């Protein structure tokens, strides 16, 4: 399906029919993407959905099996080198140089872009501050926490002052504080006008950061839109999660009538409904049933579209 | 993309080379001793131990004869090790090359940088051996500086060959076979420990098709002050051809492996 921007501001990524096959397996299947300059664009999907493979095609690290791809106006993979001058990458797996200090990592990575001299020193000083790593400039990589490594990888990806930043799960494995810091930095980059393309398994992250996103599964785009649009279009506005003894019976006889859609996840029943009041009133009379009520969010959309079972 | 195209030669390989140099400088102490410790032991033990039985070989005291062979062997081993274990670590374990490929560097640049680095490592390993050999009186001055470019060529040749193996390797275990099946036989038939003149014709002629024997044939007169073979440059063409072929093959295989 097509994920297109309505207006036509400058696009940093333009992909038509992007497809990747490994042997008989189609890992990315006829994907169309159009990403605008200055937006934060998210790729969401379960493990193995094809997010990393899609990003790897965008950055010219693997050629598409079919389809047309332009990044920053360059045909990819043919002109990947020119595009790389203006691209920053935070890969899913850290590949910092373990033999180097923080500073040496930045200097060395800069040399791959042909950067050196006073301007570079200035840039590195700024990036160390940006990444909150001033105190660690001369520390070895082994002495960094997971959050610091991620921040260093982010700083490194900015060394060439890129227009587009590709971030593959930038906050996976980080504690909430470390994640908040990365979010804040990414917002700063957006304010500077950079375009971000990121994948994440944290729906909250996508909801907060992404202007638009796609949910992909088995290599196909399921939906595309802003987080708010997706929630509005694809799911009832209220969710009540219920568990407790006697719930099944109560639900079949009483609860069901007020609920549009319901689904089990483990022993918890998820009820989706447009008007929550009658259900909540009834639940208040059953102290043995535990429940929480909340507004529907992106995670509900995600689970509805990709299913609640474990994938791999 | 054409995987088979001959690799582009570009100055962009220099940052790759410089990165390796930077790592080596940090870790140089232990690496240096590891590099020339073993060849030095061979030189001393065999040169004096065996030499006292053998006397002169090809008109030279045995330790003098041996010193030039050890310099070449050390260059070959150092470059092979660099192109196998160290390069494999950068490729598969640390994903250093993956990081480089997200920048304007290409596989061609990485392979060329690694090859030049292997040549440099060979130089680094040969210099201390040359110094010790000189201190033992096993070096005839005059042309001895001419040894260095030859050592570099040996390093480039064996570094490139090792990268071909690395491009195919699934794990470190793979490299044992390369050492056992290629490097060790090669160094036994290349005139390092004994002159090839005593070997059967088939071995002698076969050895002439291999890269190391020629290098030894050029390094030995340079170190001992004997006259150089009349076709010196032609001799060096053999390791250079191997280097070019391996450069192309390694790049081709790595394009297939890393960009798929
Ligand atoms: N080089 C490869 N060769 C063969 N199959 C591959 C290769 N790379 C990826 N795949 C397969 O493609 C599918 C998609 O992988 P990909 O890494 O793109 O998923 P992902 O969405 O990034 O998953 P995750 O959330 O776990 O990171 C998987 O089934 C994976 O096994
Ligand atoms: Mg992934």
């Amino acid at each position: 399906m097509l994920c297109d921007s309505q207006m036509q501001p400058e696009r940093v990524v333009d992909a038509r029919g992007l497809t990747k096959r490994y042997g008989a397996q189609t890992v990315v299947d006829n994907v169309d993407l159009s990403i605008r300059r200055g937006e934060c664009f998210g790729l969401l999907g379960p493990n193995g959905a094809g997010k990393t493979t899609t990003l790897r095609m965008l950055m010219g690290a693997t050629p598409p099996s079919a389809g047309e791809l332009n990044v920053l106006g360059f045909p990819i993979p043919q002109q990947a080198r020119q595009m790389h001058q203006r691209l920053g990458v935070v890969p899913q797996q850290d590949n910092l140089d373990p033999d180097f200090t923080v500073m040496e990592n930045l200097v060395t990575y800069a040399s791959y872009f042909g950067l050196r001299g006073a301007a570079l020193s200035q840039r590195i000083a700024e990036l160390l501050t940006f990444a909150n790593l001033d105190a660690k400039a001369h520390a070895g990589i082994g002495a960094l926490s997971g959050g610091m490594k991620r921040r260093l990888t982010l700083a490194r990806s900015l060394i060439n002052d890129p227009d587009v930043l590709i971030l593959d799960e930038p906050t996976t494995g980080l504690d909430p504080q470390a994640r908040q810091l990365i979010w804040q930095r990414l917002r700063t980059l957006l304010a500077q006008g950079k375009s971000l393309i990121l994948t994440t398994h944290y729906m909250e992250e996508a909801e907060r950061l992404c202007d638009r996103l796609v949910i992909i599964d088995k290599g196909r785009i399921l939906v595309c839109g802003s987080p708010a649009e997706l929630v509005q279009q694809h799911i009832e506005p209220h969710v009540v999660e219920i568990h407790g003894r006697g719930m099944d019976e109560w639900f079949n006889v009483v609860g069901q009538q007020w609920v549009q859609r319901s689904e089990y996840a483990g022993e918890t029943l998820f009820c989706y409904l447009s008007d929550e009041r009658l259900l909540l009133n009834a639940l208040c009379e059953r102290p043995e049933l535990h429940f929480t009520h909340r507004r529907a969010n992106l995670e509900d959309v995600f689970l509805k579209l990709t299913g609640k079972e474990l994938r791999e | 993309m054409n995987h088979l195209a001959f690799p582009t030669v570009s100055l962009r390989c220099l940052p790759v080379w410089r990165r390796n140099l930077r790592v080596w400088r940090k870790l140089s102490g232990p690496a240096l001793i590891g590099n020339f410790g073993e060849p030095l032991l061979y030189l001393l033990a065999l040169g004096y131990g065996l030499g006292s039985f053998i006397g002169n070989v090809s008109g030279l005291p045995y330790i003098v004869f041996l010193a030039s062979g050890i310099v070449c062997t050390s260059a070959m081993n150092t470059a092979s090790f660099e192109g196998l274990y160290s390069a494999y670590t950068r490729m598969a374990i640390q994903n250093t090359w993956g990081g480089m490929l997200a920048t304007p560097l290409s596989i061609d640049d990485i392979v060329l940088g690694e090859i030049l680095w292997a040549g440099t490592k060979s130089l680094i390993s040969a210099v201390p051996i040359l110094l010790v050999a000189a201190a033992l009186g096993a070096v005839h001055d005059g042309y001895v500086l001419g040894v260095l470019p030859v050592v570099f060529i040996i390093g480039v040749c064996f570094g490139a060959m090792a990268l071909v193996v690395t491009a195919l390797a699934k794990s470190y275990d793979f490299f044992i076979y390369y050492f056992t099946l290629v490097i060790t036989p090669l160094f036994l038939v290349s005139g390092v420990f004994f002159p090839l003149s005593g070997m059967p014709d088939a071995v002698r002629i076969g050895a002439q098709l291999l890269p190391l024997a020629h290098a030894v044939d050029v390094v030995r007169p340079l170190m001992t002050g004997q006259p150089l073979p009349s076709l010196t440059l032609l001799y060096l063409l053999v390791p250079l051809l191997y280097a070019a072929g391996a450069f192309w093959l390694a790049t081709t295989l790595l394009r297939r492996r890393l960009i798929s």
Side-chain angles (χ1 to χ4, degrees):
Chain A
M1 87 165 252
L2 185 71
C3 182
D4 211 341
S5 37
Q6 270 80 46
M7 306 158 294
Q8 299 251 318
E10 201 187 342
R11 293 164 178 187
V12 291
V13 171
D14 213 330
R16 298 276 162 254
L18 203 57
T19 298
K20 183 72 187 183
R21 290 182 214 98
Y22 286 115
Q25 190 193 6
T26 303
V27 171
V28 176
D29 193 358
N30 201 20
V31 160
D32 294 337
L33 286 174
S34 161
I35 303 179
R36 303 168 198 158
R37 183 173 294 280
E39 79 175 335
C40 179
F41 190 90
L43 266 69
L44 272 52
N47 288 133
K51 304 180 293 296
T52 298
T53 307
T54 304
L55 293 186
R56 281 171 47 78
M57 285 194 278
L58 295 192
M59 57 190 267
T62 185
S65 310
E68 246 177 77
L69 177 60
N70 267 269
V71 178
L72 284 163
F74 296 105
I76 302 301
Q78 295 82 355
Q79 295 190 32
R81 184 200 303 289
Q82 290 89 323
M83 187 268 288
H84 285 163
Q85 289 284 3
R86 298 166 59 197
L87 180 77
V89 176
V90 174
Q92 183 167 359
Q93 243 95 46
D94 272 327
N95 55 11
L96 296 165
D97 238 315
D99 299 316
F100 287 149
T101 63
V102 167
M103 177 72 92
E104 288 165 337
N105 260 285
L106 294 173
V107 171
T108 303
Y109 204 73
S111 74
Y112 304 154
F113 291 90
L115 303 171
R116 52 166 75 203
L120 176 63
S121 308
Q122 170 74 30
R123 176 100 192 122
I124 287 179
E126 287 166 14
L127 287 175
L128 285 174
T129 306
F130 179 81
N132 247 15
L133 288 170
D134 292 292
K136 294 282 175 185
H138 300 290
I141 298 307
L144 301 186
S145 70
M148 290 175 183
K149 281 189 200 153
R150 227 47 196 145
R151 263 140 55 203
L152 176 56
T153 305
L154 178 61
R156 192 184 71 168
S157 75
L158 295 169
I159 198 88
N160 56 328
D161 194 16
D163 297 330
V164 174
L165 207 55
I166 287 182
L167 306 116
D168 199 352
E169 301 192 23
T171 64
T172 295
L174 302 192
D175 66 32
Q177 291 85 343
R179 187 170 302 147
Q180 294 272 358
L181 183 68
I182 298 251
W183 290 349
Q184 199 196 340
R185 293 304 187 259
L186 294 185
R187 241 179 255 113
T188 307
L189 294 172
L190 285 169
Q192 291 169 4
K194 298 195 188 304
S195 317
L196 308 188
I197 306 169
L198 67 84
T199 75
T200 179
H201 289 296
Y202 300 108
M203 298 302 138
E204 188 196 352
E205 180 165 302
E207 213 152 9
R208 281 169 177 241
L209 286 175
C210 293
D211 299 303
R212 292 188 311 138
L213 56 87
V214 288
I215 296 178
I216 46 185
D217 193 11
K218 304 192 179 93
R220 294 220 179 98
I221 294 184
L222 301 178
V223 290
C224 171
S226 74
E229 276 166 17
L230 294 179
V231 170
Q232 202 194 342
Q233 287 167 8
H234 294 281
I235 201 129
E236 298 75 12
H238 293 277
V239 184
V240 179
E241 298 175 18
I242 314 170
H243 67 103
R245 196 157 350 127
M247 171 187 68
D248 293 344
E249 196 192 344
W250 172 82
F251 185 72
N252 287 335
V253 177
V254 186
Q256 209 172 29
Q257 57 184 313
W258 299 298
V259 173
Q260 270 79 55
R261 201 164 58 81
S262 66
E263 213 174 349
Y264 282 94
E267 53 179 26
T268 302
L269 182 68
F270 284 70
C271 303
Y272 299 90
L273 53 172
S274 41
D275 188 339
E276 77 289 11
R277 279 166 298 187
L278 292 172
L279 179 71
L280 293 180
N281 285 342
L283 275 168
C284 287
E285 284 159 23
R286 304 297 295 245
E288 75 281 13
L289 296 182
H290 306 273
F291 68 93
T292 41
H293 165 233
R294 58 181 174 77
R295 289 186 182 275
N297 59 29
L298 196 57
E299 183 147 354
D300 299 307
V301 178
F302 185 88
L303 290 173
K304 178 183 175 191
L305 294 175
T306 61
K308 281 195 164 65
E309 318 80 53
L310 194 63
R311 276 319 167 87
E312 290 182 324
Chain B
M1 217 179 309
N2 184 5
H3 286 319
L4 293 174
F6 195 84
T8 317
V9 173
S10 141
L11 287 180
R12 281 185 306 263
C13 69
L14 289 181
V16 179
W17 177 86
R18 224 179 286 121
R19 177 221 165 261
N20 291 346
L21 178 69
R22 201 176 270 139
V23 174
W24 178 80
R25 281 214 315 256
K26 287 198 76 162
L27 313 172
S28 58
L32 200 61
I33 291 164
N35 273 342
F36 77 92
E38 188 184 309
L40 225 50
L41 282 177
Y42 270 99
L43 180 60
L44 295 176
L46 294 182
Y48 285 122
L50 205 54
S52 66
F53 290 99
I54 297 177
N56 279 10
V57 174
S58 305
L60 300 165
Y62 186 57
I63 193 164
V64 177
F65 175 87
L66 185 64
S68 38
I70 294 285
V71 166
C72 295
T73 311
S74 171
M76 170 179 80
N77 282 335
T78 304
S80 301
F81 208 86
E82 193 63 32
L84 299 172
Y85 293 89
S86 310
Y88 186 81
T89 304
R90 293 191 274 274
M91 174 182 73
I93 312 295
Q94 300 179 357
N95 208 7
T96 313
W97 293 356
M100 291 172 172
L101 289 174
T103 73
L105 302 184
S106 66
I107 289 195
D108 307 20
D109 305 325
I110 294 173
V111 174
L112 186 56
E114 292 284 352
I115 290 174
L116 293 180
W117 171 244
T120 310
K121 274 296 282 280
S122 293
L123 273 182
I124 294 171
S125 82
V127 168
I129 300 174
L130 277 175
L131 289 178
V132 172
L136 296 173
V139 172
H140 186 281
D141 39 282
Y143 306 117
V144 69
L145 285 183
V147 172
L148 297 180
V150 185
V151 161
F152 187 75
I153 289 173
I154 297 174
V156 161
C157 168
F158 283 94
M161 285 165 57
L163 284 171
V164 173
V165 179
T166 296
L168 295 167
K170 299 272 176 275
S171 74
Y172 290 112
D173 301 334
F174 203 66
F175 301 144
I176 299 288
Y177 293 105
Y178 180 65
F179 268 108
T180 314
L181 297 176
V182 178
I183 295 293
T184 306
L186 217 145
F187 117 94
L188 289 175
V189 299
S190 294
V192 172
F193 291 122
F194 45 83
L196 287 181
S197 48
M199 301 289 272
D201 278 354
V203 175
R204 255 191 14 224
I205 294 164
Q208 297 308 306
L209 300 174
L210 301 173
L212 188 64
H214 292 281
V216 176
D217 283 345
V218 175
V219 166
R220 186 156 287 140
L222 283 171
M223 279 179 69
T224 57
Q226 292 174 322
L228 277 168
S230 51
L231 298 172
T232 298
L233 289 180
L234 214 56
Y235 275 45
L236 293 179
L237 214 54
V238 174
L240 282 172
L241 279 175
Y242 270 85
F247 177 29
W248 168 77
L249 192 55
T251 311
T252 295
L253 291 170
L254 285 170
R255 283 178 191 143
R256 197 162 293 162
R257 175 170 184 154
L258 299 178
I259 314 191
S260 68

